[in-house]
Amino acid sequence: MKKVYLCISTDVIQTGHINIINEAAKLGEVTVGVLCDECAAKYERYPLIPLEERMKIIAGLKGVSHVVVQEDIYYDDILYKLRPDYVVHGDNWKRGYLKKVRERVVQVISEWGGQIVEPPYYKNASFDYFKGAMNELRGLPELRRQKLKDKIERGEIVKVIVTYDGISALLAEKTEVETEKGKKQFDAFWMSSLCDSTVKGKPDIELVDISSRVSVVNDIMEITTKPIIFDADTGGQLEHFGYTIRTLERVGVSAVIIEDKCGLKRNSLLGNEVEQHQDSIENFCEKIKAGKAAKISKNFMIIARIESLILEQGMEDALKRAQEYVKAGADGIMMHSRAKTPDEIFEFADKFRKMDSETPLVVVPTTYATVTEEELKAHGINIVIYANQTLRAAFPAVQKVMQTILENGRCYEANEQCMSIKDILSLIPIK
Ligand code: SPV
Ligand code: MG
Protein backbone atom coordinates (compact mmCIF):
# COMPACT_ATOMS: atom_id res chain seq x y z
CA MET A 1 0.00 0.00 0.00
CA LYS A 2 1.25 3.49 -0.89
CA LYS A 3 2.08 5.90 1.94
CA VAL A 4 0.37 9.29 2.00
CA TYR A 5 1.22 12.21 4.26
CA LEU A 6 -0.59 15.45 5.00
CA CYS A 7 -0.25 18.10 7.71
CA ILE A 8 -3.07 19.85 9.57
CA SER A 9 -2.15 23.05 11.33
CA THR A 10 -5.46 24.56 12.45
CA ASP A 11 -7.44 23.62 15.53
CA VAL A 12 -10.85 23.60 13.83
CA ILE A 13 -11.61 20.81 11.40
CA GLN A 14 -13.94 21.78 8.58
CA THR A 15 -15.23 20.34 5.31
CA GLY A 16 -12.07 21.39 3.45
CA HIS A 17 -9.95 19.13 5.68
CA ILE A 18 -12.38 16.22 5.21
CA ASN A 19 -12.13 16.67 1.42
CA ILE A 20 -8.34 16.61 1.58
CA ILE A 21 -8.34 13.49 3.78
CA ASN A 22 -10.80 11.77 1.38
CA GLU A 23 -8.55 12.59 -1.57
CA ALA A 24 -5.52 11.35 0.37
CA ALA A 25 -7.26 8.09 1.35
CA LYS A 26 -7.89 7.30 -2.33
CA LEU A 27 -4.10 7.24 -2.81
CA GLY A 28 -3.10 4.94 0.07
CA GLU A 29 -2.59 4.74 3.84
CA VAL A 30 -2.91 8.20 5.36
CA THR A 31 -0.67 9.62 8.08
CA VAL A 32 -1.64 13.06 9.35
CA GLY A 33 0.96 15.30 10.94
CA VAL A 34 -0.54 17.62 13.53
CA LEU A 35 1.42 20.84 13.85
CA CYS A 36 2.79 21.33 17.37
CA ASP A 37 1.38 24.17 19.53
CA GLU A 38 4.56 26.27 19.27
CA CYS A 39 4.55 26.15 15.48
CA ALA A 40 0.80 26.66 15.22
CA ALA A 41 1.12 29.76 17.43
CA LYS A 42 4.04 31.06 15.42
CA TYR A 43 2.90 30.44 11.88
CA GLU A 44 -0.87 30.08 12.04
CA ARG A 45 -2.85 31.25 15.04
CA TYR A 46 -2.54 30.61 18.72
CA PRO A 47 -4.31 27.22 19.08
CA LEU A 48 -7.42 27.28 21.22
CA ILE A 49 -7.43 23.46 21.33
CA PRO A 50 -4.20 21.94 22.68
CA LEU A 51 -2.12 19.47 20.67
CA GLU A 52 -3.22 16.24 22.44
CA GLU A 53 -6.88 17.09 21.87
CA ARG A 54 -6.29 18.03 18.24
CA MET A 55 -4.53 14.69 17.73
CA LYS A 56 -7.44 12.75 19.22
CA ILE A 57 -9.96 14.57 17.02
CA ILE A 58 -7.96 13.97 13.85
CA ALA A 59 -7.25 10.33 14.73
CA GLY A 60 -11.03 9.78 14.91
CA LEU A 61 -11.63 10.95 11.33
CA LYS A 62 -12.54 8.41 8.65
CA GLY A 63 -9.62 7.68 6.32
CA VAL A 64 -6.88 8.59 8.84
CA SER A 65 -4.64 5.62 9.73
CA HIS A 66 -1.91 7.29 11.80
CA VAL A 67 -1.44 10.59 13.58
CA VAL A 68 1.99 12.05 14.39
CA VAL A 69 3.25 15.39 15.71
CA GLN A 70 4.90 17.65 13.16
CA GLU A 71 7.48 19.64 15.14
CA ASP A 72 8.36 22.19 12.50
CA ILE A 73 6.65 24.13 9.76
CA TYR A 74 9.07 22.44 7.33
CA TYR A 75 8.19 18.77 6.82
CA ASP A 76 11.79 17.45 6.45
CA ASP A 77 12.07 15.32 9.64
CA ILE A 78 8.79 13.51 9.10
CA LEU A 79 9.33 13.05 5.38
CA TYR A 80 12.72 11.39 5.90
CA LYS A 81 11.24 9.12 8.56
CA LEU A 82 8.07 8.17 6.67
CA ARG A 83 9.31 8.44 3.06
CA PRO A 84 5.74 8.91 1.73
CA ASP A 85 4.80 8.28 -1.89
CA TYR A 86 2.44 11.25 -1.81
CA VAL A 87 2.15 14.50 0.16
CA VAL A 88 -1.30 16.07 -0.10
CA HIS A 89 -2.03 19.76 0.52
CA GLY A 90 -4.66 22.23 -0.67
CA ASP A 91 -3.34 24.30 -3.59
CA ASN A 92 -3.37 27.42 -1.37
CA TRP A 93 0.20 26.56 -0.30
CA LYS A 94 1.44 27.89 -3.64
CA ARG A 95 1.08 31.38 -2.10
CA GLY A 96 2.43 33.28 0.91
CA TYR A 97 4.85 31.85 3.45
CA LEU A 98 3.78 28.27 2.59
CA LYS A 99 5.29 28.62 -0.88
CA LYS A 100 8.76 27.94 0.52
CA VAL A 101 7.46 25.00 2.55
CA ARG A 102 5.95 23.52 -0.62
CA GLU A 103 9.20 23.95 -2.57
CA ARG A 104 11.11 22.18 0.18
CA VAL A 105 8.61 19.27 0.28
CA VAL A 106 8.89 18.83 -3.51
CA GLN A 107 12.69 18.80 -3.24
CA VAL A 108 12.82 16.28 -0.36
CA ILE A 109 10.30 13.74 -1.68
CA SER A 110 11.82 13.85 -5.16
CA GLU A 111 14.79 12.01 -3.59
CA TRP A 112 12.69 8.79 -3.60
CA GLY A 113 10.31 9.71 -6.42
CA GLY A 114 7.51 10.98 -4.16
CA GLN A 115 4.86 13.32 -5.58
CA ILE A 116 2.67 16.11 -4.33
CA VAL A 117 -1.08 16.12 -4.85
CA GLU A 118 -2.87 19.47 -4.57
CA PRO A 119 -6.67 19.42 -4.49
CA PRO A 120 -8.21 22.89 -4.98
CA TYR A 121 -8.47 24.91 -1.76
CA TYR A 122 -11.99 24.68 -0.38
CA LYS A 123 -13.42 28.09 0.48
CA ASN A 124 -16.25 28.06 2.98
CA ALA A 125 -17.98 31.35 3.86
CA SER A 126 -19.66 30.09 7.02
CA PHE A 127 -16.33 28.69 8.19
CA ASP A 128 -14.65 32.05 7.54
CA TYR A 129 -17.29 33.63 9.76
CA PHE A 130 -16.59 31.02 12.43
CA LYS A 131 -12.85 31.63 12.15
CA GLY A 132 -13.53 35.33 12.75
CA ALA A 133 -15.53 34.49 15.86
CA MET A 134 -12.69 32.23 17.07
CA ASN A 135 -10.30 35.09 16.59
CA GLU A 136 -12.42 37.22 18.91
CA LEU A 137 -11.82 34.52 21.54
CA ARG A 138 -8.09 34.95 21.08
CA GLY A 139 -8.54 38.55 22.19
CA LEU A 140 -10.00 37.62 25.58
CA PRO A 141 -7.84 38.78 28.51
CA GLU A 142 -7.02 35.31 29.90
CA LEU A 143 -5.92 34.03 26.49
CA ARG A 144 -3.65 37.02 25.96
CA ARG A 145 -2.08 36.40 29.38
CA GLN A 146 -1.67 32.72 28.60
CA LYS A 147 0.01 33.54 25.27
CA LEU A 148 2.60 35.72 26.99
CA LYS A 149 3.32 33.10 29.66
CA ASP A 150 3.57 30.30 27.07
CA LYS A 151 6.00 32.23 24.91
CA ILE A 152 8.26 32.98 27.90
CA GLU A 153 8.08 29.36 29.09
CA ARG A 154 9.02 28.08 25.64
CA GLY A 155 12.25 30.08 25.97
CA GLU A 156 11.53 32.19 22.91
CA ILE A 157 12.43 35.86 23.05
CA VAL A 158 9.24 37.91 23.36
CA LYS A 159 9.33 40.88 20.97
CA VAL A 160 7.27 43.80 22.23
CA ILE A 161 6.45 46.93 20.23
CA VAL A 162 5.10 50.23 21.52
CA THR A 163 1.47 51.10 20.66
CA TYR A 164 -0.31 54.25 21.78
CA ASP A 165 -3.72 54.17 20.06
CA GLY A 166 -6.00 51.91 18.06
CA ILE A 167 -4.37 52.33 14.67
CA SER A 168 -0.79 51.91 15.93
CA ALA A 169 -1.93 48.71 17.68
CA LEU A 170 -3.68 47.46 14.56
CA LEU A 171 -0.50 47.95 12.57
CA ALA A 172 1.48 46.15 15.25
CA GLU A 173 -1.08 43.34 15.27
CA LYS A 174 -0.84 42.81 11.51
CA THR A 175 2.71 43.67 10.53
CA GLU A 176 4.74 40.62 9.56
CA VAL A 177 7.86 39.87 7.58
CA GLU A 178 9.09 36.76 5.81
CA THR A 179 12.59 35.78 6.87
CA GLU A 180 14.85 32.80 6.23
CA LYS A 181 13.44 31.27 9.42
CA GLY A 182 9.80 31.88 8.44
CA LYS A 183 7.16 34.43 9.30
CA LYS A 184 7.95 37.01 12.04
CA GLN A 185 5.54 39.17 14.00
CA PHE A 186 5.61 41.12 17.25
CA ASP A 187 4.36 39.14 20.22
CA ALA A 188 2.96 41.85 22.47
CA PHE A 189 2.24 45.58 22.81
CA TRP A 190 4.00 48.06 25.11
CA MET A 191 1.84 50.80 26.59
CA SER A 192 4.63 53.27 27.22
CA SER A 193 4.09 56.10 29.71
CA LEU A 194 6.47 58.20 27.61
CA CYS A 195 4.44 57.71 24.42
CA ASP A 196 1.01 57.88 26.12
CA SER A 197 2.11 61.26 27.56
CA THR A 198 3.75 62.47 24.35
CA VAL A 199 0.68 61.87 22.15
CA LYS A 200 -1.25 64.03 24.60
CA GLY A 201 1.44 66.73 24.42
CA LYS A 202 2.26 66.19 28.10
CA PRO A 203 5.54 65.47 29.92
CA ASP A 204 6.35 61.91 31.08
CA ILE A 205 5.88 62.67 34.80
CA GLU A 206 2.88 60.50 35.76
CA LEU A 207 0.64 63.40 34.77
CA VAL A 208 -1.67 61.46 32.43
CA ASP A 209 -4.07 59.80 34.85
CA ILE A 210 -4.89 56.10 34.94
CA SER A 211 -8.47 56.54 33.60
CA SER A 212 -7.13 58.25 30.51
CA ARG A 213 -4.49 55.56 29.98
CA VAL A 214 -7.02 52.78 30.55
CA SER A 215 -9.24 54.26 27.87
CA VAL A 216 -6.39 53.73 25.37
CA VAL A 217 -6.02 50.13 26.61
CA ASN A 218 -9.74 49.67 25.93
CA ASP A 219 -9.36 50.99 22.38
CA ILE A 220 -6.53 48.54 21.75
CA MET A 221 -8.23 45.57 23.40
CA GLU A 222 -11.27 46.02 21.20
CA ILE A 223 -9.46 45.42 17.92
CA THR A 224 -6.43 43.21 18.64
CA THR A 225 -5.48 39.83 20.15
CA LYS A 226 -1.90 40.21 21.42
CA PRO A 227 -0.86 40.57 25.07
CA ILE A 228 -0.49 44.10 26.47
CA ILE A 229 2.39 45.05 28.79
CA PHE A 230 1.49 48.24 30.66
CA ASP A 231 4.05 50.75 31.90
CA ALA A 232 2.57 51.91 35.22
CA ASP A 233 5.50 54.24 36.08
CA THR A 234 6.07 54.06 39.87
CA GLY A 235 2.69 52.38 40.45
CA GLY A 236 1.67 55.51 42.38
CA GLN A 237 0.87 55.54 46.10
CA LEU A 238 1.17 52.19 47.83
CA GLU A 239 -2.46 52.49 48.98
CA HIS A 240 -3.64 53.09 45.39
CA PHE A 241 -1.60 50.37 43.71
CA GLY A 242 -3.92 47.46 44.51
CA TYR A 243 -6.81 49.32 42.86
CA THR A 244 -4.70 50.05 39.79
CA ILE A 245 -3.82 46.37 39.50
CA ARG A 246 -7.48 45.34 39.67
CA THR A 247 -8.39 47.92 37.01
CA LEU A 248 -5.61 46.83 34.65
CA GLU A 249 -6.48 43.18 35.15
CA ARG A 250 -10.15 43.86 34.44
CA VAL A 251 -9.51 45.78 31.22
CA GLY A 252 -7.33 42.97 29.87
CA VAL A 253 -3.70 43.94 30.48
CA SER A 254 -1.36 40.90 30.62
CA ALA A 255 1.56 42.33 32.58
CA VAL A 256 2.33 45.54 34.40
CA ILE A 257 5.78 47.00 34.98
CA ILE A 258 6.46 49.37 37.89
CA GLU A 259 9.76 51.18 38.42
CA ASP A 260 11.52 51.67 41.76
CA LYS A 261 11.43 55.46 41.76
CA CYS A 262 9.64 57.81 44.14
CA GLY A 263 8.66 61.47 44.24
CA LEU A 264 8.30 63.25 40.91
CA LYS A 265 9.13 60.63 38.28
CA ARG A 266 11.08 61.77 35.24
CA ASN A 267 11.85 59.80 32.09
CA SER A 268 14.69 57.31 32.70
CA LEU A 269 16.61 58.28 29.59
CA LEU A 270 17.20 61.70 31.18
CA GLY A 271 19.10 59.88 33.93
CA ASN A 272 20.83 62.13 36.45
CA GLU A 273 20.56 65.22 34.22
CA VAL A 274 17.28 65.86 36.08
CA GLU A 275 16.38 65.37 39.72
CA GLN A 276 14.83 61.98 40.31
CA HIS A 277 15.02 59.52 43.18
CA GLN A 278 15.08 55.79 43.66
CA ASP A 279 12.73 54.28 46.21
CA SER A 280 14.07 52.25 49.15
CA ILE A 281 14.12 48.48 48.71
CA GLU A 282 11.73 48.12 51.66
CA ASN A 283 9.11 50.52 50.27
CA PHE A 284 9.24 49.06 46.80
CA CYS A 285 8.92 45.49 48.10
CA GLU A 286 5.81 46.60 50.00
CA LYS A 287 4.37 47.89 46.73
CA ILE A 288 5.10 44.61 44.94
CA LYS A 289 3.45 42.70 47.77
CA ALA A 290 0.38 44.96 47.67
CA GLY A 291 0.04 44.36 43.92
CA LYS A 292 0.44 40.60 44.28
CA ALA A 293 -2.17 40.53 47.05
CA ALA A 294 -4.63 42.45 44.86
CA LYS A 295 -4.34 40.47 41.62
CA ILE A 296 -6.76 37.66 40.88
CA SER A 297 -5.64 36.17 37.57
CA LYS A 298 -2.85 33.62 38.01
CA ASN A 299 -1.23 34.60 34.71
CA PHE A 300 -1.29 38.38 35.26
CA MET A 301 2.34 39.41 35.77
CA ILE A 302 3.72 42.16 38.01
CA ILE A 303 7.22 43.00 36.82
CA ALA A 304 9.63 45.08 38.91
CA ARG A 305 11.80 47.58 37.06
CA ILE A 306 15.16 48.53 38.53
CA GLU A 307 16.58 52.01 38.00
CA SER A 308 19.98 51.49 39.69
CA LEU A 309 21.97 51.63 36.43
CA ILE A 310 19.95 54.62 35.15
CA LEU A 311 20.69 56.50 38.40
CA GLU A 312 24.32 55.28 38.59
CA GLN A 313 23.92 53.31 41.80
CA GLY A 314 26.07 50.43 40.58
CA MET A 315 25.75 46.77 39.65
CA GLU A 316 25.77 45.46 43.23
CA ASP A 317 22.76 47.60 44.09
CA ALA A 318 20.97 46.43 40.93
CA LEU A 319 21.60 42.75 41.74
CA LYS A 320 20.60 43.13 45.37
CA ARG A 321 17.36 44.82 44.39
CA ALA A 322 16.59 42.14 41.81
CA GLN A 323 16.93 39.43 44.47
CA GLU A 324 14.80 41.33 46.98
CA TYR A 325 12.07 42.12 44.46
CA VAL A 326 11.84 38.48 43.38
CA LYS A 327 11.59 37.51 47.07
CA ALA A 328 8.76 40.02 47.46
CA GLY A 329 6.89 38.21 44.66
CA ALA A 330 7.82 40.03 41.43
CA ASP A 331 6.92 37.84 38.42
CA GLY A 332 9.75 39.35 36.36
CA ILE A 333 12.59 41.87 36.51
CA MET A 334 13.09 44.69 34.05
CA MET A 335 16.61 46.07 34.07
CA HIS A 336 16.85 49.45 32.42
CA SER A 337 20.00 51.06 31.03
CA ARG A 338 20.81 54.24 29.12
CA ALA A 339 24.32 53.13 28.17
CA LYS A 340 25.41 53.26 24.54
CA THR A 341 26.45 49.59 24.56
CA PRO A 342 24.74 46.51 26.03
CA ASP A 343 27.73 45.62 28.26
CA GLU A 344 26.15 46.54 31.62
CA ILE A 345 22.91 44.77 30.67
CA PHE A 346 24.88 41.63 29.71
CA GLU A 347 26.85 41.83 32.98
CA PHE A 348 23.64 42.17 34.99
CA ALA A 349 21.89 39.36 33.12
CA ASP A 350 24.86 36.96 33.44
CA LYS A 351 25.20 37.59 37.18
CA PHE A 352 21.45 37.44 37.75
CA ARG A 353 21.11 34.17 35.86
CA LYS A 354 23.79 32.59 38.11
CA MET A 355 21.49 33.31 41.09
CA ASP A 356 18.13 32.82 39.40
CA SER A 357 17.52 30.76 36.29
CA GLU A 358 13.74 31.17 36.29
CA THR A 359 12.51 34.73 36.74
CA PRO A 360 11.85 36.37 33.36
CA LEU A 361 14.15 39.28 32.48
CA VAL A 362 13.00 42.28 30.47
CA VAL A 363 15.11 44.94 28.72
CA VAL A 364 14.52 48.11 26.69
CA PRO A 365 17.39 48.64 24.26
CA THR A 366 16.65 52.22 23.19
CA THR A 367 20.17 53.63 23.67
CA TYR A 368 22.12 50.40 23.09
CA ALA A 369 20.19 49.87 19.88
CA THR A 370 22.77 47.74 18.05
CA VAL A 371 22.11 44.75 20.29
CA THR A 372 20.26 41.89 18.58
CA GLU A 373 17.51 39.70 19.94
CA GLU A 374 19.79 36.66 19.56
CA GLU A 375 22.49 38.29 21.72
CA LEU A 376 19.92 39.18 24.38
CA LYS A 377 18.57 35.63 24.36
CA ALA A 378 22.09 34.24 24.72
CA HIS A 379 22.41 36.24 27.96
CA GLY A 380 19.19 34.79 29.38
CA ILE A 381 16.91 37.72 28.58
CA ASN A 382 13.28 36.84 27.85
CA ILE A 383 11.48 40.01 26.79
CA VAL A 384 12.72 42.85 24.59
CA ILE A 385 10.69 46.05 24.44
CA TYR A 386 11.00 48.46 21.50
CA ALA A 387 9.60 51.27 23.59
CA ASN A 388 9.15 54.34 21.41
CA GLN A 389 10.39 53.83 17.82
CA THR A 390 6.99 53.89 16.08
CA LEU A 391 5.99 57.20 17.66
CA ARG A 392 9.38 58.70 16.84
CA ALA A 393 8.95 57.55 13.23
CA ALA A 394 5.46 59.03 12.88
CA PHE A 395 6.44 62.60 13.83
CA PRO A 396 8.94 63.41 11.06
CA ALA A 397 6.51 61.96 8.47
CA VAL A 398 3.59 64.07 9.73
CA GLN A 399 5.76 67.17 10.01
CA LYS A 400 6.99 66.74 6.43
CA VAL A 401 3.42 66.54 5.06
CA MET A 402 2.47 69.70 6.98
CA GLN A 403 5.47 71.57 5.57
CA THR A 404 4.71 70.36 2.03
CA ILE A 405 1.10 71.64 2.23
CA LEU A 406 2.24 75.01 3.63
CA GLU A 407 4.95 75.41 1.01
CA ASN A 408 2.66 74.64 -1.93
CA GLY A 409 -0.57 76.21 -0.75
CA ARG A 410 -2.35 72.96 -1.68
CA CYS A 411 -2.28 69.27 -0.77
CA TYR A 412 -1.48 67.73 -4.18
CA GLU A 413 2.31 67.49 -3.58
CA ALA A 414 1.73 65.87 -0.19
CA ASN A 415 -0.26 63.02 -1.73
CA GLU A 416 2.78 60.95 -2.58
CA GLN A 417 3.82 61.05 1.09
CA CYS A 418 0.42 59.68 2.13
CA MET A 419 -1.19 56.25 2.22
CA SER A 420 -4.27 56.14 -0.03
CA ILE A 421 -7.67 56.48 1.64
CA LYS A 422 -8.53 53.02 0.31
CA ASP A 423 -5.41 51.49 1.91
CA ILE A 424 -5.92 53.17 5.25
CA LEU A 425 -9.57 52.10 5.34
CA SER A 426 -8.59 48.54 4.51
CA LEU A 427 -6.60 48.40 7.76
CA ILE A 428 -9.76 48.73 9.80
CA PRO A 429 -11.63 45.50 10.51
CA ILE A 430 -15.40 45.50 10.00
CA LYS A 431 -17.06 43.20 12.47
C1 SPV B 1 8.50 54.28 28.49
O1 SPV B 1 8.48 53.88 27.31
O2 SPV B 1 7.65 55.03 28.94
C2 SPV B 1 9.55 53.80 29.39
C3 SPV B 1 10.84 53.36 28.84
O3 SPV B 1 9.33 53.85 30.58
S1 SPV B 1 11.90 54.72 28.92
O4 SPV B 1 11.31 55.82 28.15
O5 SPV B 1 13.17 54.30 28.35
O6 SPV B 1 12.06 55.09 30.31
MG1 MG C 1 7.66 54.99 31.12
Side-chain angles (χ1 to χ4, degrees):
M1 191 136 178
K2 299 268 188 201
K3 284 189 276 184
V4 190
Y5 182 73
L6 62 98
C7 172
I8 294 186
S9 55
T10 95
D11 48 2
V12 184
I13 303 298
Q14 44 113 352
T15 3
H17 298 111
I18 304 291
N19 287 347
I20 299 264
I21 293 169
N22 285 344
E23 289 304 314
K26 287 182 198 159
L27 300 165
E29 189 182 54
V30 178
T31 301
V32 179
V34 183
L35 197 63
C36 66
D37 286 345
E38 289 87 329
C39 276
K42 197 160 167 192
Y43 297 99
E44 288 289 327
R45 288 179 186 285
Y46 186 82
L48 296 174
I49 302 174
L51 180 68
E52 303 83 66
E53 294 298 318
R54 289 190 281 132
M55 291 187 71
K56 280 187 204 156
I57 294 168
I58 292 169
L61 297 176
K62 201 169 134 218
V64 175
S65 298
H66 309 284
V67 177
V68 294
V69 181
Q70 184 171 318
E71 302 277 2
D72 193 61
I73 193 76
Y74 287 95
Y75 292 32
D76 297 30
D77 285 353
I78 280 189
L79 294 183
Y80 282 118
K81 223 181 273 169
L82 193 67
R83 297 176 75 84
D85 302 285
Y86 299 103
V87 171
V88 183
H89 196 292
D91 63 357
N92 57 315
W93 72 339
K94 290 180 181 167
R95 296 177 291 278
Y97 77 97
L98 285 173
K99 200 169 152 206
K100 278 206 192 116
V101 175
R102 177 184 182 274
E103 282 164 14
R104 182 79 196 133
V105 169
V106 172
Q107 192 187 344
V108 172
I109 62 176
S110 70
E111 290 177 24
W112 53 87
Q115 290 171 30
I116 53 169
V117 175
E118 301 169 310
Y121 180 67
Y122 183 87
K123 195 126 179 64
N124 180 335
S126 60
F127 182 67
D128 285 350
Y129 173 79
F130 181 62
K131 254 170 60 180
M134 295 277 289
N135 214 26
E136 294 278 305
L137 282 181
R138 291 185 171 90
L140 290 177
E142 265 328 306
L143 263 169
R144 295 193 201 226
R145 290 175 194 139
Q146 186 70 50
K147 271 190 222 176
L148 183 60
K149 271 267 167 100
D150 283 356
K151 183 105 186 164
I152 297 170
E153 273 163 23
R154 285 203 297 269
E156 292 174 36
I157 192 128
V158 180
K159 306 176 289 296
V160 186
I161 186 75
V162 60
T163 53
Y164 43 85
D165 58 12
I167 192 73
S168 65
L170 214 46
L171 273 174
E173 172 90 6
K174 294 186 174 181
T175 300
E176 61 183 36
V177 291
E178 296 281 342
T179 70
E180 282 299 303
K181 293 185 187 145
K183 200 161 77 171
K184 264 182 96 177
Q185 284 203 336
F186 289 106
D187 305 300
F189 307 136
W190 170 237
M191 299 284 312
S192 148
S193 66
L194 168 70
C195 295
D196 278 359
S197 307
T198 305
V199 289
K200 290 183 165 53
K202 298 225 165 108
D204 182 18
I205 52 171
E206 291 189 272
L207 179 61
V208 179
D209 65 55
I210 191 78
S211 321
S212 164
R213 297 201 54 212
V214 160
S215 114
V216 183
V217 173
N218 268 324
D219 287 344
I220 294 177
M221 282 294 292
E222 218 177 317
I223 48 162
T224 61
T225 61
K226 293 182 197 282
I228 296 177
I229 304 181
F230 188 90
D231 171 5
D233 292 318
T234 65
Q237 304 267 1
L238 174 70
E239 293 78 1
H240 297 177
F241 187 51
Y243 288 91
T244 305
I245 288 295
R246 292 293 278 272
T247 303
L248 294 175
E249 218 180 358
R250 202 168 48 241
V251 294
V253 163
S254 301
V256 64
I257 301 189
I258 49 167
E259 61 193 272
D260 58 359
K261 289 210 291 246
C262 57
L264 182 67
K265 186 222 84 142
R266 306 293 300 273
N267 184 269
S268 298
L269 301 176
L270 301 171
N272 283 337
E273 280 167 35
V274 294
E275 195 179 328
Q276 48 180 337
H277 303 281
Q278 200 167 14
D279 205 350
S280 70
I281 295 182
E282 295 68 34
N283 284 349
F284 199 65
C285 284
E286 283 309 307
K287 212 179 262 185
I288 295 167
K289 286 182 193 156
K292 290 286 286 194
K295 79 167 194 158
I296 296 171
S297 157
K298 112 176 157 347
N299 286 330
F300 181 88
M301 296 172 78
I302 299 179
I303 298 172
R305 160 173 168 177
I306 299 171
E307 294 287 288
S308 306
L309 302 181
I310 293 286
L311 300 172
E312 296 168 28
Q313 296 304 302
M315 192 57 72
E316 287 314 306
D317 184 67
L319 286 160
K320 182 167 182 337
R321 282 174 180 268
Q323 270 176 304
E324 293 300 325
Y325 298 166
V326 172
K327 259 194 245 156
D331 301 299
I333 293 292
M334 171 180 152
M335 178 49 65
H336 205 6
S337 162
R338 58 189 169 89
K340 295 252 172 345
T341 69
D343 299 350
E344 64 179 21
I345 283 293
F346 289 167
E347 184 185 341
F348 172 81
D350 294 345
K351 289 185 171 158
F352 181 75
R353 280 285 168 250
K354 284 210 179 104
M355 309 181 307
D356 181 334
S357 59
E358 297 281 309
T359 307
L361 276 181
V362 185
V363 296
V364 181
T366 303
T367 54
Y368 53 101
T370 52
V371 76
T372 65
E373 289 159 10
E374 289 208 342
E375 288 169 320
L376 293 171
K377 191 175 166 198
H379 287 272
I381 287 153
N382 308 82
I383 303 182
V384 54
I385 301 180
Y386 300 103
N388 47 50
Q389 290 73 13
T390 60
L391 186 70
R392 282 161 55 208
F395 276 106
V398 171
Q399 198 174 36
K400 191 156 175 244
V401 164
M402 288 177 174
Q403 286 165 344
T404 305
I405 295 175
L406 285 175
E407 277 159 12
N408 293 283
R410 63 176 187 178
C411 58
Y412 176 75
E413 289 74 12
N415 267 345
E416 65 182 35
Q417 297 162 21
C418 301
M419 200 174 200
S420 76
I421 296 285
K422 196 165 153 237
D423 285 348
I424 201 156
L425 291 180
S426 73
L427 288 174
I428 314 291
I430 297 178
K431 293 199 173 160

